């Protein structure tokens, strides 16, 4: 396994965002020494395959590897950190999100229209980018952001719900997508289902317990999904399911059931009016209004994962409930004479709390089979390779069994899994990756999704892997750009979340949704001798731009403007002048970005934990580094805090606004690079200041050598603290600011800094989380934007009429206009204005994590769910 920063799991109370996401990388093989690869899987087997092809070459897989790693721990850590920013120092009361959206709707809009810069295909296998740090040639092809809900009919209509970008419709069996939910207050998808009347049910609030899983505002129904669009009046019931995540909707009789993070609910399907009924909550005291609602563990005490309804008798219902890391209430429940009771004696399917975690059910159309995937908390907490308990079948067709185990992770591993080459096993992320569906015409034909797509046609006696994790490691693979990915067939992106079956012109198909978008193949498709499908089609044609950006960088190259940005599990995208398709020149999670405004191919890209790489040619490479490492076109320049684990998962990285060759990186220390893009080693960073043991930077900014660094530590609910240090890039004059004890600057996550280029003592500070009205924690305070004009000695709350919504980034334009990126879009305030306005008319209501002004004068917004957008700031009046 390649080196990784080993992290401990924490359990952070998370309400707006639940807990943990993926960021997987291919090769952080560092040609100059120590390998930094916080996932390890992609690096290890890609490197091993290259070494196998090049006998006698030094093994980059082992060179400098000095630590072990566990991907599940990395994911959980990322989860906690993203949640911390919005919840610490306490927990957030229900209703905060809805109140923020209502306040936002009452604000006026400015003029100006945004342009979706990244609404075009994104090729993860772009043959131009075969550099050592790229995933290119892995086989996924064209990708988009995470798809977490899918539904299809037999007319070619397909509906795809994205992690935080809403629902899209296709009338051609996938592709040529149109958004149909942009008028809703929540664009986070938990589930999509078509009922027997052809209505489309949209459950908001992604329930993958991932770092970027936003809560929702309930369930909506669209009566005519072929032609209509969702509106706020389409909500089912009242606000009972607001501020929850919904894992699954299931239908039985005249009821719809919802498995949520606040227990199990039901509603009539005959009428959409009236409140939802709480069917079961294992720990009701922890629900809002309960005696233990303020307990830090409250968000984990009533999680329901799925509902199995007997198709032959809708009154027989089995609930799968439980927190993925384990709790005493975990298990299966059914209704008995004394109410809901724990079910035991299910056969091979465990019923004890240690081995029931995240569960997915599916039954055959004829009612003869019920299937289940079960993730085991015990496996997750003790087995570094897999958290999967197994896949099971009830041949009686009843959800009460008896159940028989038809696959464990070992059997799936030996069925053609790409993870065989990596030391991990299928199900290493079974708490995050799950789907299950049965062929409507064959009860023994099943598709199961974990990290990869698995298939059985004989009821589980044998399995194949039509959608392997990637093609690295297989004998058919080649890095040669002329061969794309060698002789291997295309595969899907890793990390499966949703599945549906449908047909178009009488041809049945299956569509899967994963961290890379949506992919389709014939329901009974073809495969090669290894069982890998030869007929996947990417449905990510660019019209469904649900890419999840953490950052954006903009530069010129003499022909126009180049735009790049770091993405959740989709590396770094590069869009150069004249491109009709974006390429990917770095793999894994793309974190923060610095791009040279004078040359868009000078890029510094963070993977995670400050694992920074730099290129001066956009990382264009023909793969020649395989035989000659000196021909690598990107270089590891990770600051030392990356090796010690003293940096946040997505750590701050920025350039001085007056000198783009001076960079600031923040971990425990504030690191300075004055060589710009000529840097070639992590040892070339200079430590300017130690923020203190247990402290990690959350935002950095620099102007003319004056540097500000915001930090937190501890960063979770227990003992949360924050601060700001200021000093000079040359290491002089550093000191910690004394933030006022009166709460003028809240004790919450400090997420963004903007320095006035005309006066380095004039700084704006963006604060994340919700204010004291909603946050039950010490020092939560009020407000989201603060200003100092004396270098941080005194601060003033300048939030004004800003909605109480988490703020992620702030920018100060040349004319004095303030632009704020929030979890609900972009807000602006012009000099002398009486209040805030929503920026433009057409930006989707999704999280904006970074704002940059490009050398073309346009303002760019990196959204975490709907791509990168740009607007002329002169129009924001």
């Amino acid at each position: 396994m390649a080196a990784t920063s080993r992290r401990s799991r924490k359990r952070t109370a998370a309400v707006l965002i639940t807990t943990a996401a993926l960021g997987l990388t291919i090769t952080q093989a560092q040609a100059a020494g120590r390998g930094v690869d916080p996932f390890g899987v992609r690096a290890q087997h890609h490197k091993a395959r290259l070494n196998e092809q090049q006998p006698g070459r030094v093994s980059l897989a082992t060179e400098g590897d000095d630590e072990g790693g566990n991907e599940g721990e990395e994911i959980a850590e990322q989860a906690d950190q993203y949640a911390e920013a919005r919840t610490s120092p306490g927990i957030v009361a229900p209703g905060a999100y809805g109140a923020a959206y209502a306040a936002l709707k009452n604000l006026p809009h400015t003029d100006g229209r945004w342009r979706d810069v990244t609404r075009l295909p994104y090729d993860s296998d772009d043959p131009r980018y075969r550099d050592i740090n790229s995933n290119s040639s892995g086989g996924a092809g064209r990708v988009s952001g995470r798809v977490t809900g899918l539904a299809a009919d037999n007319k070619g209509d397909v509906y795809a719900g994205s992690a935080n970008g809403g629902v899209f419709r296709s009338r051609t069996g996938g592709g040529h997508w149109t958004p149909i939910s942009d008028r809703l207050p929540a664009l986070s998808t938990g589930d999509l289902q078509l009922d027997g009347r052809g209505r489309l049910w949209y459950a908001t609030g992604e329930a993958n317990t991932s770092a970027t899983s936003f809560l929702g505002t309930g369930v909506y129904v669209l009566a005519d999904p072929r032609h209509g669009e969702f509106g706020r009046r389409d909500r089912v019931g009242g606000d009972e399911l607001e501020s929850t995540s919904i894992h699954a909707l299931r239908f039985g009789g005249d009821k719809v059931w919802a498995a949520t993070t606040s227990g199990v609910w039901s509603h009539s399907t005959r009428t959409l009016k009236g409140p939802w009924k709480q069917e079961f909550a294992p720990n009701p005291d922890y629900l809002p209004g309960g005696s233990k609602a303020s307990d830090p563990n409250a968000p984990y005490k009533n999680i329901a994962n799925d509902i199995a309804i007997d198709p032959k008798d809708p009154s027989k219902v089995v609930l799968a409930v439980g927190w993925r890391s384990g709790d005493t209430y975990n298990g299966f429940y059914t209704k008995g004479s004394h109410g809901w009771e724990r079910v035991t004696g299910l056969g091979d399917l465990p019923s004890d709390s240690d081995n029931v975690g995240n569960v997915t059910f599916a039954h055959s159309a004829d009612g003869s089979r019920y299937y289940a995937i079960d993730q085991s908390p015990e496996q997750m907490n003790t087995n570094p390779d897999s958290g999967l308990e197994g896949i099971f079948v009830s041949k009686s067709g009843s959800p009460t069994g008896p159940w028989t185990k038809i696959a464990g992770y070992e059997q799936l591993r030996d069925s053609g899994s790409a993870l065989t080459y990596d030391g991990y096993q299928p199900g290493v992320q079974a708490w995050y990756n799950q789907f299950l569906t049965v062929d409507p015409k064959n009860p023994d034909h099943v598709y199961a999704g974990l990290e990869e797509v698995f298939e059985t046609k004989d009821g589980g006696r044998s399995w194949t892997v039509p959608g392997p994790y990637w093609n690295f490691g297989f004998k058919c693979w080649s890095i040669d750009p002329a061969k794309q990915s060698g002789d291997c067939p295309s595969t899907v992106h890793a990390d499966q979340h949703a599945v549906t079956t449908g047909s178009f012109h009488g041809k049945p198909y299956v569509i899967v949704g994963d961290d890379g978008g949506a992919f389709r193949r014939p329901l009974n498709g073809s495969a090669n001798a290894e069982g890998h499908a030869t007929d996947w089609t990417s449905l990510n044609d660019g019209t469904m731009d649900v890419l999840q950006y953490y950052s954006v960088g903009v530069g010129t190259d003499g022909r126009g403007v180049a735009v790049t940005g770091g993405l959740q599990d989709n590396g770094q995208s590069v869009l150069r002048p004249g491109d009709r398709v974006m390429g990917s020149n770095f793999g894994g999670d793309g974190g923060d970005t610095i791009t040279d405004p004078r040359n868009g191919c000078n890029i510094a890209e963070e993977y995670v934990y400050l694992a920074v790489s730099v290129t001066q040619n956009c990382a264009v490479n023909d793969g020649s580094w395989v035989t000659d490492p000196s021909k690598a076109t990107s270089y590891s320049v990770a600051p030392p805090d990356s090796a010690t684990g003293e940096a946040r998962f997505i750590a701050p990285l920025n350039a001085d606004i007056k000198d783009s060759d001076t960079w600031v990186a923040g971990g425990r220390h504030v690191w300075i690079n004055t060589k710009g893009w000529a840097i070639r080693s992590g040892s070339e960073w200079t430590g300017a200041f130690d923020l203190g043991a247990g402290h990690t930077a959350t935002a950095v900014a620099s102007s003319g050598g004056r540097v500000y660094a915001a930090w937190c530590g501890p960063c979770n609910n227990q003992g949360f603290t924050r601060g700001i240090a200021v000093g000079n890039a040359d290491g002089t004059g550093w000191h910690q600011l004394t933030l006022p004890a009166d709460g003028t600057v809240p004790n919450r996550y400090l997420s963004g800094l903007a320095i006035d280029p005309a006066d380095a003592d004039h700084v704006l500070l963006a604060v994340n989380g919700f204010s004291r009205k909603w946050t039950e924690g010490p020092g939560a305070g009020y407000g989201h934007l603060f200003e100092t004009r004396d270098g941080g000695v005194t601060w003033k709350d300048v939030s004004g009429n800003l909605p109480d919504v988490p703020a992620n980034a702030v920018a100060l334009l040349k004319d004095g206009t303030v632009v704020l990126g929030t979890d609900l879009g972009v807000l602006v305030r012009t000099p002398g204005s009486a209040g805030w306005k929503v920026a433009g008319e057409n930006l989707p209501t999704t999280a904006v994590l970074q704002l940059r002004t490009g050398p073309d004068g346009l303002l760019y917004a990196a959204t975490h769910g709907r791509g990168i957008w740009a607007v002329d700031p002169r129009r924001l009046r």
Side-chain angles (χ1 to χ4, degrees), residues 299-333:
Y300 306 97
K301 289 295 186 178
N302 288 285
I303 294 175
N305 295 299
D306 208 347
I307 301 152
I309 304 170
D310 192 330
K312 300 170 186 176
D313 184 355
S315 68
K316 295 180 179 179
V317 178
V318 173
L319 313 179
V321 300
W323 167 233
R324 60 177 168 85
S325 292
D327 205 325
T328 56
Y329 75 91
N330 284 32
F332 298 104
Y333 294 79

Side-chain angles (χ1 to χ4, degrees), residues 96 122 176 199 293 344 403 447 495 506 510-511 518 565 622 692 736 787 798 853-854:
Y122 175 32
H176 305 289
R199 298 177 298 182
T344 59
W403 292 85
Y447 280 91
D495 308 322
V510 61
I511 300 176
D622 61 5
Q736 295 278 6
E787 181 180 47
V798 292
T853 301

Side-chain angles (χ1 to χ4, degrees), residues 144-151 158-163 177 189-190 192 206 208 432-437 447-453 492-501 510-521 536-537 539-540 544 546 548 569:
S144 190
R146 189 163 69 244
V147 168
T148 54
L150 285 166
V158 181
Y159 307 94
S162 61
W177 302 97
T189 302
L192 278 177
E206 183 188 0
N208 283 320
Y432 174 74
N433 299 322
Q434 281 193 23
F435 73 57
L436 196 60
T437 194
Y447 280 91
L450 294 167
E451 297 74 40
E452 304 166 290
V453 179
V492 297
H493 193 283
D495 308 322
Q496 311 306 313
H497 302 290
V499 65
T500 191
T501 60
V510 61
I511 300 176
V512 302
D514 51 39
D515 273 13
F519 299 80
R520 183 188 68 211
R521 73 180 294 233
W536 285 110
T537 297
L539 303 179
N540 308 303
M544 181 170 60
V546 293
Q548 297 169 270
D569 206 21

Side-chain angles (χ1 to χ4, degrees), residues 22 179 218 262 317 373 545 591 634 671 678 745:
L22 271 267
S262 61
V317 178
I373 298 176
D545 182 7
S634 63
W671 297 98
V745 177

Side-chain angles (χ1 to χ4, degrees), residues 411-436:
Q411 181 179 357
L412 298 177
R413 174 199 63 201
D414 297 336
S415 300
S417 169
L419 296 183
T420 302
Y421 298 95
D422 301 312
Y424 289 103
Q425 311 292 336
V428 67
Q429 297 166 187
W431 57 268
Y432 174 74
N433 299 322
Q434 281 193 23
F435 73 57
L436 196 60

Side-chain angles (χ1 to χ4, degrees), residues 443-740:
D444 289 328
H445 184 196
V446 179
Y447 280 91
L450 294 167
E451 297 74 40
E452 304 166 290
V453 179
F454 296 90
E455 181 182 18
T456 179
K457 293 184 178 182
D458 54 16
R461 290 189 295 275
S462 63
W463 292 85
T464 58
V465 188
Y469 197 87
W470 52 16
N471 288 329
F472 299 126
F474 296 132
K475 293 180 179 179
C476 55
W477 173 81
S478 171
I479 201 172
D480 186 347
K483 297 182 179 180
Q484 194 67 357
S485 59
D487 297 323
C488 298
S490 296
T491 187
V492 297
H493 193 283
D495 308 322
Q496 311 306 313
H497 302 290
V499 65
T500 191
T501 60
S503 65
F504 191 38
H505 298 315
K507 297 180 179 180
Y509 48 68
V510 61
I511 300 176
V512 302
D514 51 39
D515 273 13
F519 299 80
R520 183 188 68 211
R521 73 180 294 233
L523 186 58
N524 288 282
S526 60
N528 61 19
E530 286 75 34
H532 303 150
T534 58
D535 46 12
W536 285 110
T537 297
S538 170
L539 303 179
N540 308 303
D541 56 9
T543 59
M544 181 170 60
D545 182 7
V546 293
L547 292 166
Q548 297 169 270
Y549 282 94
Y550 289 112
S551 62
V552 58
V554 189
T556 60
D557 75 347
R559 298 177 299 149
V561 171
V563 180
T564 185
L567 288 150
Q568 189 275 327
D569 206 21
N570 280 292
Q572 187 92 0
S573 71
V574 178
L575 175 62
R576 299 163 69 185
D579 281 356
R580 295 181 179 272
V581 176
M582 292 191 296
S584 176
N585 64 353
F586 290 95
D589 263 310
D592 222 335
T593 301
I594 301 176
T595 302
D596 188 347
R598 305 159 298 186
N599 182 348
C601 275
N602 284 343
I603 306 168
E605 183 267 355
E606 178 194 16
Y607 170 43
V608 292
Y609 299 122
L610 278 184
V612 181
S613 293
V614 66
T615 180
Q616 291 193 272
N617 76 334
C618 281
V620 172
N621 193 291
D622 61 5
S624 57
W625 57 269
V626 173
T627 54
D628 186 352
S630 69
K631 293 186 177 180
T633 53
S634 63
Y635 310 89
S636 170
V637 296
D641 283 356
S642 179
T644 61
E646 295 177 293
R648 291 184 68 76
F649 193 87
I650 302 297
L653 178 69
N654 221 331
D656 190 289
I657 60 175
K658 292 186 176 179
D659 178 8
S660 61
D661 288 327
T662 295
W663 302 351
V664 182
R668 168 179 168 170
H669 303 83
V670 179
W671 297 98
I672 306 295
N673 162 39
T674 58
K675 293 187 175 183
W677 287 270
I679 189 172
R680 290 294 180 267
S681 168
S683 64
E684 296 177 83
W685 292 88
T686 301
F689 186 66
D690 184 347
L691 295 172
H695 297 169
T696 54
T698 59
V700 295
S702 177
S703 177
R706 176 81 68 84
V707 181
Y708 293 82
W711 54 266
C712 64
C715 297
N716 58 16
N717 296 340
Q718 288 73 37
F720 179 86
T721 58
R722 86 287 180 257
I724 302 174
V726 61
N728 300 315
D730 63 6
T732 63
W734 278 91
H735 60 284
Q736 295 278 6
L737 296 178
T738 302
L739 297 180

